[in-house]
Amino acid sequence: NRSSDLQKNVQLYKIRNGYSLSPHAAASFTRQNLAKALREGPYTVDMLIGGYDEHDGASLYYLDYLGTMAKVPYTAHGYASYMTLSIMDKNYKEGLSETEAVDMIRMCIAEVQKRLIINLPKFNIHVVDREGVRTIDDEKMET
Amino acid sequence: MSALEYNGSAIVAMMGHECVAIASDKRLGRQAQTLSCDFQKIFQMSDRLFLGLPGLGTDVETVSNRLRFRLNLYKLRENREMKPRTFLNMVSSFLYSHRFGPYFVEPIVAGLEPTTSEPFIASMDLIGCPMITSDFVVGGTASEQLYGMCETLWRPDLEPDDLFEIIAQSLLNAQDRDALSGWGGVVYIVEKDKVTIRHLKARMD
């Protein structure tokens, strides 16, 4: 219910003001809520917030349950991070095209499926760009 | 694991001849794992006033935002710049007001007096105990290492260019000996007519 509360607030901003919150503003707003909750009743949820803005282009923010926020080119949370951060360190470069980025994600997913003890057969890949959010439906991801 | 050592940081400020320098590393980590090498820990509060915040990442962000808010209100009400000493007291009382549920940051204040341009540096602990020095102040997980480096390299009345070299070397070598800090560095040299920001090339490990 936490994320729906935040989501509704972001939508309310658009209704009130006529334009969407920028990704940075949405991430900062979320961060402030997490930070406030930390000392009252913490939300034990980490997040990655990705968005597209005409002004700044695409941006990705790492948030954790403490309210730590960092703008990053690529990142991962949880067990995935142990396996995938190094893959992304090696393969990432500035100005990746969408196909290259999705291929990199596929590489990461393959690695997680190989190395993690828990079997995770299906993954969803979502792409966020100037047209909005869409899901990539893929047979390639199933093992 | 202490909250002050969760994210990792190394911050140092030094006094020079009619200038101050403040420098920090850029690592943000989750204990041993590095998440970002671009994390801002030094915030420009005013034209010639800087605040360095080593400690827990979330509190770095919260404290810098809250203090900037209070400083801006002061500027609007009083219609003048806040003196570094006054700012130090403001930070100190802000932190003490959370004495029994503190923000896990140990701030470093560095700046020049708005009218006389006299340099000023100070640091404090997480509950606001201030310490004003005339040579250097250090903070973060690499503070012990920084004390060693600064004690050896610093001397009084350094010109801005020399001060940059000295503070940069102090930071780089200290953070190399600390697992939780490093991954780059940034140095701000504050003189009465300009502020120079330089990013350091450091060992990325």
Side-chain angles (χ1 to χ4, degrees), chain A residues 105-124:
Chain A
I105 296 256
R106 291 212 179 95
M107 256 195 272
C108 294
I109 294 176
E111 192 62 27
V112 170
Q113 287 172 329
K114 185 171 160 190
R115 292 291 182 185
L116 195 62
I117 193 165
I118 302 169
N119 189 31
L120 299 166
K122 281 217 194 146
F123 277 84
N124 288 325

Side-chain angles (χ1 to χ4, degrees), chain A residues 31-32 35 38-39 46 62 64-72 74-78 81-82 85, chain B residues 6-7 28 30 33-36 38-39 56-59 61-63 65-66 101-104 183:
Chain A
R31 188 213 87 81
Q32 202 172 60
L38 179 66
R39 287 160 199 274
D46 299 328
Y62 168 101
D64 77 1
Y65 70 100
L66 300 167
T68 314
M69 181 171 98
K71 183 170 192 298
V72 286
Y74 53 84
T75 189
H77 269 300
S81 59
Y82 294 120
L85 278 178
Chain B
Y6 186 71
N7 293 128
L28 174 73
R30 199 167 182 165
Q33 186 179 58
T34 302
L35 297 165
S36 166
D38 220 353
F39 189 66
L56 193 63
T58 175
D59 289 344
E61 195 68 34
T62 307
V63 169
N65 288 338
R66 294 267 172 86
Y103 285 113
F104 295 99
W183 286 85

Side-chain angles (χ1 to χ4, degrees), chain B residues 44-75:
Chain B
Q44 181 160 18
M45 291 286 136
S46 185
D47 279 345
R48 302 282 173 266
L49 184 62
F50 286 79
L51 177 69
L53 290 166
L56 193 63
T58 175
D59 289 344
V60 166
E61 195 68 34
T62 307
V63 169
S64 69
N65 288 338
R66 294 267 172 86
L67 288 171
R68 186 177 304 234
F69 167 73
R70 290 169 69 148
L71 181 70
N72 287 342
L73 266 182
Y74 177 98
K75 273 205 259 189

Side-chain angles (χ1 to χ4, degrees), chain B residues 135-174:
Chain B
D135 44 18
F136 51 84
V137 285
V138 303
T141 48
S143 56
E144 312 271 290
Q145 292 87 333
L146 280 163
Y147 272 127
M149 285 307 308
C150 292
E151 201 63 63
T152 321
L153 295 180
W154 187 85
R155 52 180 201 278
D157 290 323
L158 285 162
E159 291 301 319
D161 289 334
D162 296 331
L163 186 63
F164 165 72
E165 289 300 331
I166 303 252
I167 199 173
Q169 286 305 314
S170 299
L171 181 70
L172 288 175
N173 292 298

